[in-house]
């Protein structure tokens, strides 16, 4: 599980964070509302698989008020609907962030 910063805003004007089930498989990152949704064979949210080999991955401590749990995945922007092409993510612990960064960077390097 990771927390993904969404495009919407809360009542107070802050960006919202949603807990999502992420899967890194065959060089692609996908995410779902729940693990059960993934296991049922449902399509990923936004119906897309992000090719990790085309992305830049970086830790970003500013995403969780200075703690070591945030990171971002920057994708090439292919059209206007992709926004700025960056997924802002937050792990549930520094160790989990380290594992995700290692897995994503390993996948990028094995292309």
């Amino acid at each position: 599980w990771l927390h993904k910063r969404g495009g919407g805003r809360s009542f107070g004007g802050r960006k919202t964070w949603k807990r999502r089930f992420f899967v890194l498989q065959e060089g692609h990152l996908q995410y779902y509302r729940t693990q059960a949704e993934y296991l049922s064979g449902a399509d990923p949210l936004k119906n897309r698989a992000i090719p990790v080999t085309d992305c830049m991955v970086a830790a970003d401590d500013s995403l969780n008020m200075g703690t070591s749990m945030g990171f971002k995945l920057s994708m090439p922007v292919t059209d206007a609907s992709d926004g700025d092409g960056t997924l802002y993510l937050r792990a549930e612990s520094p160790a989990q962030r380290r594992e995700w960064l290692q897995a994503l960077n390993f996948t990028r390097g094995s292309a």
Side-chain angles (χ1 to χ4, degrees), residues 13-14 17 22 27-28 33 40 59-60 69 74 80 88 91 96 101 109:
R14 289 177 279 174
W17 289 87
F22 279 77
H28 291 82
R33 281 186 187 85
S40 75
D60 189 339
M69 294 187 283
S74 301
Y88 296 96
Q96 185 191 42
L101 289 173

Side-chain angles (χ1 to χ4, degrees), residues 37-108:
E37 197 173 84
Y38 165 68
L39 294 172
S40 75
D43 288 333
L45 291 174
K46 300 216 177 195
N47 201 26
R48 87 192 256 206
I50 301 162
V52 174
T53 55
D54 297 341
C55 299
M56 295 299 297
V57 181
D60 189 339
D61 292 340
S62 71
L63 296 175
N64 199 32
M65 296 176 270
T67 64
S68 300
M69 294 187 283
F71 61 102
K72 60 186 172 185
L73 190 72
S74 301
M75 304 163 274
V77 178
T78 56
D79 61 51
S81 67
D82 285 341
D84 72 355
T86 302
L87 276 180
Y88 296 96
L89 303 167
R90 190 175 67 213
E92 295 184 342
S93 71
Q96 185 191 42
R97 176 179 82 165
R98 204 169 27 256
E99 290 171 8
W100 272 103
L101 289 173
Q102 288 173 347
L104 291 165
N105 281 312
F106 177 80
T107 300
R108 286 186 63 240

